[in-house]
Amino acid sequence: MNNNVVFQTKNLSKSYGSTIAINDVSLKVETGEIFGILGPNGSGKTTTLSIATGIVDADSGEFNWFNSYPDHNSRKKIGSLIEVPHFYPYLSLVQNLKIISQIKELEYNDIDRVLKLVKLYDRRHSKFRTLSLGMKQRLGISAAMLGDPEVMVLDEPTNGLDPEGIVEVRDLIISQARRGKTILMASHILSEVEKVCSHVAILKEGKLLEQGSVGSIIKGKSTLEVASEDLNVLHEALKSCKFIANLKQEPDSFILELNDDSSATELNAYLFDKSIILSKIIHHKKSLESQFLKLVKES
Amino acid sequence: MKKLFRIEFSKTINFGPVKILIPLHILFFFLGFFAIPRIKIDFPFLSVLPLYQFPHVWNFITWIGGIYNLTLVLLIIMLTCMEFSNKTYKHQAIFGLSRKELFIQKVMLAASFSFYVVILTFITVMISGLIYSYKITPTIIFDRSWILLASFLQNFIWLMLGVLFALIFKNVILAVLSFGFYRVMFEPIIRSLVEKENSWYFPTKFVSKLTPEPDILNIVKDKLQEADQVSPAELESIGETLFPDIPIIQNITLSLIFLSLILIFTYYIFQKRRLN
Ligand SMILES: Nc1ncnc2c1ncn2[C@@H]1O[C@H](COP(=O)(O)OP(=O)(O)OP(=O)(O)O)[C@@H](O)[C@H]1O
Ligand SMILES: [Mg+2]
């Protein structure tokens, strides 16, 4: 057993009638990660997080929190926001957070702190129903942070926020992770995952396409475009190069993918040793976006 | 337990309909009971005053209260459906309440409402009895105080039945209509098909009879004969005529069985209901 594993699923599947929401999903989240679940609409992100937070039962497969069988008590250690936040509309923000504090068996003295973090302290006595959409979302985030939990589960945390709010929430998430907290979040916004997450799992139609660190998913697949005076010599040299994963010939250049831990500098040095001087070297750094779109289209 | 109670308390006390209907309930409870005896009815032999005197006041107030308390059934239905329409059951589960705790919350709420009625009834009975009775001894005052317990059981049953209907329909109007339909249409129709002696084995009957109506005819007859003074012997005979149909023990037993069924069924639905 790996003690660093915070959350793990094994072959999780769930259908709603004939709709397959998730199919055979196995995830592993370790301490300190900001783990993003990325996928288009309806790919099963919310379903996965709902199973994780115990509001939906999986049809098959299993999952655990902190290496133990999950029950309602393990949920008290997790701060969650699933889809839109649901509070008692006729209660004030403070009254609503008091209810959550009671459920999680926390003192009330953390309420002011989380309200200030999301800039709702001045509205603390307003009724929940009088909040704007973005304010409701921020209250949802403050509720998830109540009691400074070790783990936060956030489904589309920046949903409905203004640009400033988006930046603030992302910063909040990152600062939580810096303090050693683990965050499991779902998003369909690629740039968000790229900016915030350390790890990512890509879902499509309920199937897990890929998971790993954001770096490895982008870096391993970034491409170089190279050319030299004599393309034939270059071709021979590239073919015998050990750290090239994928090679493709273009009319007057080569497109290649490097192995995971090799860099363009290494390639350049290798070719230089063979007396080949590159006339062109362009780094096509693939964003998660192109990677994501490629994965989603391929499958 | 305490935590569940505190959560349920803050949800309930701040709920709009509760803030309106509970004061009205209290108002009508007192108004209803204290205004009527002030109205002079001109038939001397039809005075309603005995109903406000010990010991009949116990029966009278719990009996009439049985009707007023339908307000509370309406409230508990609203409070339960509200959890579904606001998706707050899901919300509470996410933060760590188990389904069993969600169930316990509503049982506590029903018990609290029933307890509230006991207090209200006790106060009303005492004020009314002490004002209007001519003869006051501890025996006369407290002899029938067990009715408070029966009334508690009765209210608890109707309230839990309200919760059950609310859980099934998740919609206030449907739940209220079907609760009403059951009590005034469905059961009476079925009951009319069986022989009268057996109609006791129907919930509406045996639960209602937990707080039997005062035997008005007999009381009035007594009044005619005794001119305002009721002797202990007379009292006893009145007491007997109050429960002409089935013994109270049998009544309570049937009610407890019915209550257990409601609780089991409610618990089961809480376990199975989809929260999202
Ligand atoms: N309660 C439900 N009843 C029936 N089908 C459902 C239910 N919840 C989800 N689904 C279906 O399951 C699939 C996955 O939905 P899910 O909400 O997990 O997607 P998602 O990745 O969160 O999408 P989005 O980005 O739009 O939030 C969808 O096809 C959806 O229609
Ligand atoms: Mg979703």
Side-chain angles (χ1 to χ4, degrees):
Chain A
M1 274 283 162
N2 186 341
N3 284 329
N4 286 330
V5 177
V6 173
F7 176 67
Q8 196 165 17
T9 73
K10 286 196 189 107
N11 313 107
L12 223 48
S13 299
K14 168 80 189 172
S15 307
Y16 295 103
S18 61
T19 314
I20 298 172
I22 57 168
N23 186 1
D24 208 20
V25 171
S26 303
L27 300 173
K28 191 168 167 186
V29 181
E30 298 192 3
T31 314
E33 289 181 357
I34 305 183
F35 191 99
I37 299 179
L38 182 61
N41 292 140
S43 56
K45 304 181 295 290
T46 300
T47 306
T48 309
L49 297 186
S50 300
I51 292 171
T53 48
I55 47 176
V56 168
D57 293 327
D59 297 338
S60 63
E62 52 187 75
F63 71 99
N64 60 54
W65 282 104
F66 314 106
N67 282 323
S68 59
Y69 185 78
D71 64 0
H72 69 103
N73 283 315
S74 60
R75 269 177 261 153
K76 291 176 189 162
K77 291 192 261 175
I78 303 165
S80 319
L81 170 60
I82 304 293
E83 287 191 318
V84 279
H86 300 291
F87 291 93
Y88 290 93
Y90 56 90
L91 295 182
S92 74
L93 309 197
V94 171
Q95 285 169 329
N96 268 301
L97 292 183
K98 278 184 177 173
I99 287 182
I100 296 172
S101 302
Q102 302 248 9
I103 294 177
K104 298 181 100 180
E105 286 156 23
L106 301 169
E107 299 295 324
Y108 291 158
N109 53 26
D110 203 30
I111 291 176
D112 286 356
R113 178 188 72 94
V114 296
L115 281 174
K116 281 174 190 155
L117 271 179
V118 298
K119 303 213 161 79
L120 282 174
Y121 185 69
D122 293 339
R123 295 291 299 268
R124 65 190 180 282
H125 295 306
S126 304
K127 303 228 182 302
F128 174 71
R129 64 159 173 265
T130 67
L131 296 187
S132 74
L133 185 69
M135 289 172 174
K136 286 178 178 166
Q137 184 72 6
R138 293 212 303 254
L139 185 67
I141 289 165
S142 75
M145 308 224 305
L146 206 58
D148 202 17
E150 286 308 306
V151 186
M152 286 171 61
V153 175
L154 304 170
D155 188 7
E156 317 266 1
T158 56
N159 210 358
L161 299 183
D162 55 25
E164 197 188 347
I166 290 177
V167 173
E168 282 167 9
V169 166
R170 285 178 186 165
D171 289 348
L172 267 178
I173 293 173
I174 292 170
S175 71
Q176 287 295 99
R178 289 223 180 91
R179 294 171 51 230
K181 311 282 177 183
T182 310
I183 286 126
L184 175 56
M185 63 178 266
S187 178
H188 60 268
I189 307 167
L190 297 140
S191 59
E192 174 164 289
V193 172
E194 206 167 5
K195 282 187 187 119
V196 175
C197 296
S198 63
H199 290 72
V200 64
I202 298 177
L203 281 186
K204 190 205 169 189
E205 288 169 3
K207 275 209 152 74
L208 179 67
L209 298 186
E210 181 109 39
Q211 78 174 306
S213 73
V214 171
S216 75
I217 286 183
I218 301 170
K219 195 181 92 195
K221 310 287 160 49
S222 70
T223 56
L224 288 177
E225 187 178 354
V226 293
S228 70
E229 292 286 310
D230 191 334
L231 285 179
N232 288 331
V233 177
L234 179 61
H235 195 189
E236 287 309 310
L238 290 174
K239 273 202 284 192
S240 59
C241 175
K242 288 191 296 294
F243 43 82
I244 290 176
N246 209 341
L247 185 63
K248 209 166 84 190
Q249 186 157 16
E250 298 279 295
D252 49 358
S253 65
F254 293 95
I255 306 276
L256 54 89
E257 274 179 20
L258 291 174
N259 278 339
D260 277 3
D261 23 64
S262 316
S263 67
T265 323
E266 283 172 75
L267 178 73
N268 210 356
Y270 166 83
L271 293 171
F272 195 77
D273 275 352
K274 303 208 162 203
S275 314
I276 298 170
I277 300 195
L278 291 174
S279 58
K280 177 179 181 185
I281 176 162
I282 300 169
H283 202 161
H284 296 286
K285 189 179 185 302
K286 279 201 177 169
S287 66
L288 190 55
E289 174 155 8
S290 56
Q291 190 53 34
F292 171 73
L293 291 175
K294 187 164 153 256
L295 273 171
V296 168
K297 279 201 194 98
E298 268 170 10
S299 63
Chain B
M1 274 303 191
K2 219 169 95 187
K3 132 188 150 182
L4 294 180
F5 182 80
R6 291 226 293 261
I7 294 172
E8 202 58 26
F9 186 78
S10 89
K11 283 187 231 175
T12 305
I13 200 89
N14 293 297
F15 187 57
V18 169
K19 285 201 261 189
I20 297 167
L21 290 180
I22 292 288
L24 278 181
H25 183 248
I26 295 175
L27 188 73
F28 274 86
F29 220 85
F30 286 123
L31 264 191
F33 296 131
F34 295 118
I36 300 171
R38 303 244 167 251
I39 303 166
K40 291 275 173 253
I41 299 173
D42 269 345
F43 298 105
F45 54 90
L46 265 185
S47 165
V48 288
L49 203 58
L51 296 177
Y52 293 87
Q53 295 169 335
F54 287 124
H56 307 298
V57 63
W58 286 108
N59 297 76
F60 181 58
I61 286 182
T62 48
W63 177 59
I64 296 282
I67 299 161
Y68 285 173
N69 296 337
L70 290 176
T71 321
L72 301 177
V73 176
L74 173 68
L75 277 180
I76 207 166
I77 288 177
M78 292 172 102
L79 279 158
T80 309
C81 291
M82 167 276 282
E83 305 263 17
F84 284 105
S85 55
N86 293 329
K87 299 207 176 188
T88 41
Y89 271 146
K90 172 180 157 183
H91 172 87
Q92 293 178 91
I94 287 176
F95 286 101
L97 281 195
S98 66
R99 285 162 179 264
K100 187 175 158 194
E101 287 172 320
L102 298 178
F103 164 77
I104 294 174
Q105 278 186 334
K106 285 293 174 271
V107 175
M108 281 177 157
L109 181 61
S112 308
F113 274 174
S114 310
F115 186 67
Y116 149 80
V117 171
V118 165
I119 302 286
L120 202 57
T121 307
F122 181 76
I123 295 173
T124 318
V125 165
M126 283 300 143
I127 296 176
S128 168
L130 292 175
I131 292 177
Y132 298 112
S133 299
Y134 301 118
K135 190 178 169 188
I136 297 170
T137 68
T139 326
I140 291 185
I141 295 177
F142 293 111
D143 212 27
R144 290 192 193 168
S145 54
W146 58 266
I147 282 187
L148 283 180
L149 279 178
S151 146
F152 179 89
L153 181 60
Q154 181 187 59
N155 286 310
F156 190 55
I157 289 174
W158 291 137
L159 288 163
M160 283 312 302
L161 193 65
V163 171
L164 179 60
F165 276 84
L167 272 180
I168 293 173
F169 295 104
K170 290 182 170 182
N171 172 301
V172 178
I173 295 174
L174 280 179
V176 169
L177 284 181
S178 37
F179 185 89
F181 178 79
Y182 176 79
R183 283 191 58 173
V184 301
M185 299 272 294
F186 181 74
E187 201 192 288
I189 288 171
I190 304 282
R191 221 162 46 212
S192 70
L193 300 178
V194 301
E195 289 165 45
K196 194 145 195 319
E197 307 85 85
N198 293 331
S199 72
W200 287 105
Y201 298 97
F202 284 88
T204 304
K205 276 288 167 199
F206 62 70
V207 177
S208 299
K209 287 288 167 182
L210 283 171
T211 59
E213 69 270 24
D215 197 335
I216 295 168
L217 248 170
N218 272 305
I219 295 171
V220 172
K221 208 160 68 195
D222 285 343
K223 295 279 295 176
L224 283 176
Q225 290 164 357
E226 289 264 332
D228 273 8
Q229 287 284 334
V230 187
S231 71
E234 213 94 29
L235 243 175
E236 234 168 74
S237 76
I238 292 168
E240 277 160 24
T241 55
L242 281 175
F243 317 109
D245 302 292
I246 57 169
I248 189 76
I249 288 300
Q250 195 172 326
N251 214 342
I252 287 178
T253 312
L254 283 172
S255 298
L256 286 175
I257 293 170
F258 184 54
L259 176 62
S260 312
L261 289 177
I262 296 176
L263 287 174
I264 291 168
F265 206 43
T266 309
Y267 180 79
Y268 177 80
I269 296 186
F270 262 112
Q271 293 295 325
K272 296 289 161 207
R273 254 275 176 261
R274 218 159 77 189
L275 297 178
N276 67 333

